[in-house]
């Protein structure tokens, strides 16, 4: 099997971060990743019809030993996203669990499982915890929703796993700051704005943000808020005050007067009570924030509080920025459901750290291909029970890439002699993969 030429052309800038033979092997693996029913290395070799062309160990070494950097590959993917960016670049940060089996797999441990846990009961599961940095962008073929396109990933090791593998323990927020530093230092002339949940909104991220990056996140309803410190008068003794007078907490803010507004969030319209103020949190007294307290009047949500380092922003804008974070949850779902993010079976350190993230990068590449060329070949399936569907889902994008690739391979083969046998072989292989 081969991928459609327009997709292969999209991948060419990635060749700059690795040798030509390694890039050739990567193309084979990505081809297999698109077509394989199960994303193990050997399964992708079979799906790409590469059995016998090279020894299978060559493709295992692509992830376990080859000399290339996942960060450099992610930054190369960012260059492909740049034509769709305008002004401030929105970023999403979150973590996701990849369930695994086996005691000898590098980096596995017990992690919180959000799919099984409830508000009252916390469930943990055995696997890998990945911290992901994604670019949030609107694309021309679908202007009504945001896409979160992953570019950088870090494997989180809990304290037990870090000690077992003799690695320095780093928290998830510290890994997030690492990725922000990599991206922001590589593009110093761009301004970035990260949105993340409360795990990544604490002082370990807020106080370590790069100079060209802002942050919007959740805030505790009983968070201690302060005004700016008073101007120091001449002749005053003692150290200068770091914090001003104490301000009401977000919960106390909602007890007073608040505006009633209607917000379009998460694909629906909700009425809320909204109040905002400029304040500083206790752990970062030198950084002014726009703090927003929200009481939903419809939709069933509880009271919430948010903050943004863009202290001049309107309250509605802060809430809208935070709502953009949901797009990364959709990315996690699609990468697991359709690209087998949890399926690779590597167990050594480099194989683990580079195989599963390839599914996330491939997600970005498929969406970018669909935005550039694939949408022209998209044929919406007729679903009389689903009349309101207006745009392609990621499953539609992947199906379009598969169909265009098979069609291109069939049409480029002669219809007589050996060509007819190759066509039959291609069609039979495609049907076998779909079975």
């Amino acid at each position: 099997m081969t991928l459609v030429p327009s997709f292969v052309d999209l991948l060419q800038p990635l060749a700059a971060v690795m040798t030509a033979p390694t890039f050739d092997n990567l193309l084979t693996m990505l081809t297999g990743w698109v077509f394989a029913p199960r994303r193990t290395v050997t399964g992708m070799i079979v799906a790409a019809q590469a059995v016998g062309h090279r020894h299978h160990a060559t493709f295992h070494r692509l992830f376990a030993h080859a000399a290339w950097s996942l960060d450099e590959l992610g930054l190369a993917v960012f260059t492909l996203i740049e034509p769709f960016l305008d002004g401030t670049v929105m970023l999403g940060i979150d973590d996701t669990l990849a369930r695994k089996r086996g005691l000898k797999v590098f980096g596995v441990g017990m992690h919180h499982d959000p799919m099984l846990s409830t508000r009252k009961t916390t469930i943990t599961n055995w696997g890998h915890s990945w911290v992901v940095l994604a670019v949030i962008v609107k694309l021309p073929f679908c202007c009504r929703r945001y896409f979160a396109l992953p570019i950088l990933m870090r494997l989180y090791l809990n304290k037990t796993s870090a000690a077992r593998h003799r690695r320095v323990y780093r928290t998830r927020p510290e890994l997030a700051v690492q990725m922000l530093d990599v991206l922001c230092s590589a593009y110093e002339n761009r301004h970035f704005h990260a949105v993340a949940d409360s795990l990544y909104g604490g002082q370990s991220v807020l106080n370590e943000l790069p100079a060209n990056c802002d942050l919007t996140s959740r805030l505790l309803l009983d968070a201690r808020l302060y005004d700016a410190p008073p101007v120091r008068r001449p002749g005053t003794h003692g150290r200068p005050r770091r914090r001003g007078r104490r301000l009401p907490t977000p919960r106390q803010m909602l007890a007073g007067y608040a505006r009633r507004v209607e917000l379009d969030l998460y694909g629906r319209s909700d009425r809320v009570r909204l109040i905002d103020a400029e304040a500083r949190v206790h752990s970062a007294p030198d950084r002014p924030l726009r703090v927003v307290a929200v009481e939903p009047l419809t939709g069933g949500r509880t009271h919430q509080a948010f903050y943004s380092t863009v202290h001049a922003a309107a309250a509605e804008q802060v809430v809208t920025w935070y709502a953009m974070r949901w797009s990364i949850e959709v990315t996690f779902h699609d990468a697991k459901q359709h690209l087998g993010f949890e399926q690779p079976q590597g167990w050594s350190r480099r194989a683990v750290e580079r195989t599963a993230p390839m599914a996330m990068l491939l997600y970005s590449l498929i969406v970018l291909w669909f935005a550039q060329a694939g949408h022209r070949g998209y044929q919406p399936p007729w679903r009389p029970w689903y009349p309101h569907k207006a745009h392609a889902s990621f499953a539609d994008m992947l199906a379009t890439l598969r169909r265009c690739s098979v069609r291109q391979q069939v049409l480029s083969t002669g219809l007589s002699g050996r060509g007819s046998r190759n066509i039959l072989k291609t069609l039979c292989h495609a049907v076998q993969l779909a079975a």
Side-chain angles (χ1 to χ4, degrees):
M1 303 294 289
T2 58
L3 294 172
V4 66
S6 56
F7 188 82
V8 177
D9 292 341
L10 175 69
L11 301 179
Q12 293 308 309
L14 308 185
V17 303
M18 57 187 69
T19 64
T22 300
F23 181 68
D24 190 35
N25 293 334
L26 179 64
L27 284 180
T28 302
M29 282 290 96
L30 293 182
T31 302
W33 213 303
V34 168
F35 287 99
R38 181 167 175 79
R39 275 70 176 204
T40 60
V41 172
T42 51
M44 292 183 284
I45 296 173
V46 173
Q49 292 182 302
V51 178
H53 294 276
R54 290 187 181 90
H55 195 276
H56 60 85
T58 301
F59 300 102
H60 287 281
R61 286 195 296 269
L62 170 66
F63 299 107
H65 299 290
W68 57 276
S69 168
L70 187 64
D71 283 353
E72 291 182 2
L73 189 63
L75 293 177
V77 173
F78 180 80
T79 63
L80 302 178
I81 305 175
E82 279 194 291
F84 300 99
L85 301 177
D86 185 21
T88 300
V89 180
M90 299 301 297
L91 304 174
I93 304 172
D94 206 351
D95 55 88
T96 186
L97 174 68
R99 297 167 188 84
K100 295 290 180 180
R101 294 182 179 180
L103 298 175
K104 295 185 179 181
V105 179
F106 176 83
V108 290
M110 297 299 292
H111 302 285
H112 175 256
D113 192 334
M115 296 298 295
L116 301 179
S117 300
T118 64
R119 292 182 179 179
K120 294 183 178 180
T121 305
T122 299
I123 303 297
T124 57
N125 218 326
W126 188 255
H128 289 139
S129 179
W130 291 95
V131 183
V132 180
L133 176 67
V135 178
I136 299 177
V137 63
K138 277 187 176 180
L139 297 173
F141 71 91
C142 182
C143 296
R144 295 178 56 186
R145 59 164 288 193
Y146 290 97
F147 291 89
L149 306 181
I151 56 172
L152 296 175
M153 278 74 62
R154 288 289 187 275
L155 178 64
Y156 167 72
L157 304 180
N158 60 24
K159 292 183 178 179
T160 302
S161 182
R164 182 170 64 249
H165 297 293
R166 299 180 182 179
R167 310 278 289 182
V168 177
Y169 173 73
R170 290 184 174 86
T171 64
R172 292 183 180 91
E174 288 174 342
L175 296 177
V177 171
Q178 276 188 4
M179 293 187 290
L180 286 174
D181 286 338
V182 169
L183 181 61
C184 294
S185 61
Y187 295 90
E188 294 180 348
N189 295 327
R190 278 196 172 276
H191 189 78
F192 298 91
H193 189 145
V195 292
D197 60 18
S198 56
L199 176 63
Y200 302 95
Q203 60 179 330
S204 57
V205 176
L206 182 59
N207 291 330
E208 301 296 334
L209 282 175
N212 57 335
C213 185
D214 283 304
L215 176 66
T216 296
S217 184
R218 288 280 296 271
L219 192 66
L220 293 175
L221 287 171
D222 57 353
R224 292 177 292 175
L225 301 179
Y226 298 87
D227 200 354
V231 178
R232 187 177 175 86
R233 297 178 180 178
T236 303
H237 299 286
R239 68 177 181 83
R241 289 184 60 179
R242 296 193 62 198
R243 302 171 183 85
R245 63 185 178 88
R246 183 77 178 266
L247 298 178
T249 66
R251 193 188 308 277
Q252 293 170 339
M253 292 166 62
L254 287 172
Y257 171 78
R259 295 181 291 125
R260 291 176 179 246
V261 298
E262 191 165 317
L263 299 176
D264 292 325
L265 303 173
Y266 307 109
R268 67 184 188 186
S269 181
D270 286 336
R271 293 176 60 246
V272 302
R273 290 180 67 241
L274 196 71
I275 185 170
D276 66 296
E278 183 177 318
R280 291 162 167 80
V281 294
H282 186 273
S283 59
D286 299 326
R287 188 149 202 170
L289 307 174
R290 177 58 53 181
V291 176
V292 182
V294 180
E295 178 188 359
L297 301 177
T298 59
R301 294 188 179 92
T302 59
H303 294 187
Q304 297 173 311
F306 308 93
Y307 77 83
S308 177
T309 56
V310 186
H311 59 88
E316 293 86 347
Q317 183 63 70
V318 173
V319 179
T320 301
W321 280 334
Y322 184 79
M324 294 167 61
R325 191 199 70 83
W326 182 252
S327 58
I328 198 170
E329 302 287 357
V330 178
T331 296
F332 291 159
H333 171 271
D334 291 340
K336 291 179 181 180
Q337 289 287 102
H338 304 295
L339 292 178
F341 175 71
E342 297 178 302
Q343 295 174 1
Q345 301 298 304
W347 58 270
S348 65
R349 181 181 68 83
R350 298 188 74 179
V352 166
E353 291 178 342
R354 299 201 289 191
T355 309
M358 195 60 65
M360 291 291 182
L361 294 179
L362 182 58
Y363 175 92
S364 301
L365 294 170
I366 292 175
V367 174
L368 290 172
W369 169 81
F370 193 86
Q372 291 183 1
H375 65 279
R376 302 187 188 96
Y378 173 54
Q379 297 177 358
W382 185 58
R383 300 289 188 266
W385 56 86
Y386 194 12
H388 304 296
K389 181 175 180 178
H391 302 287
S393 65
F394 180 74
D396 296 327
M397 300 179 198
L398 182 58
T400 301
L401 177 58
R402 288 169 174 167
R403 182 178 56 80
C404 291
S405 297
V406 173
R407 183 176 183 271
Q408 176 69 28
Q409 187 167 349
V410 169
L411 294 181
S412 62
T413 307
L415 299 179
S416 61
R418 185 177 180 181
S420 61
R421 292 192 296 271
N422 289 337
I423 291 177
L424 182 61
K425 182 180 178 181
T426 299
L427 295 177
C428 289
H429 184 69
V431 170
Q432 183 178 0
L433 292 176

